[in-house]
Amino acid sequence: DILFALVHAGAGWYKFRWIQGFEVWSFIGGNIFICFFVEPSRLYLGYTGNLGEGVTSLFLFVFLSLFCLAFLGIEIAFLNVRDGFQP
């Protein structure tokens, strides 16, 4: 997870060198939020739900996984629609 966070922060810094604007900051902030808050809790819920056979933990694990995928899909859609997101 630490490597994932470092790669995410490095990619955000690399992108910000050329691209500026409110939309970009919101996506970078969303990526950092997912990286440091959602992803560790998602992994914890998946681990505990699998060990304890907890249906609620596994449901939250799947829900958070779909949330991450939805955020990625929205980011890719904006990347294709707006020219300002590309260097």
Side-chain angles (χ1 to χ4, degrees), residues 45-62:
L45 287 170
Y47 182 72
T48 57
N50 194 19
L51 286 180
E53 296 180 6
V55 175
T56 55
S57 295
L58 289 174
F59 172 74
L60 288 174
F61 169 77
V62 171

Side-chain angles (χ1 to χ4, degrees), residues 1 6 8-9 12-13 19 21 23 30 33 46 51 58-60 62 64 66 69-71 75-77 79-80 83 85:
D1 281 339
L6 291 175
H8 229 62
W13 170 79
I19 304 170
E23 296 93 1
F33 175 75
L51 286 180
L58 289 174
F59 172 74
L60 288 174
V62 171
L64 289 176
L66 293 176
L69 286 174
F71 189 79
E75 193 169 358
I76 289 173
L79 182 68
N80 290 331
D83 294 333
F85 282 153

Side-chain angles (χ1 to χ4, degrees), residues 26-43:
S26 63
F27 279 117
I28 289 175
N31 284 334
I32 290 173
F33 175 75
I34 286 174
C35 180
F36 288 110
F37 296 107
V38 174
E39 188 67 20
S41 59
R42 183 186 75 86
L43 292 174

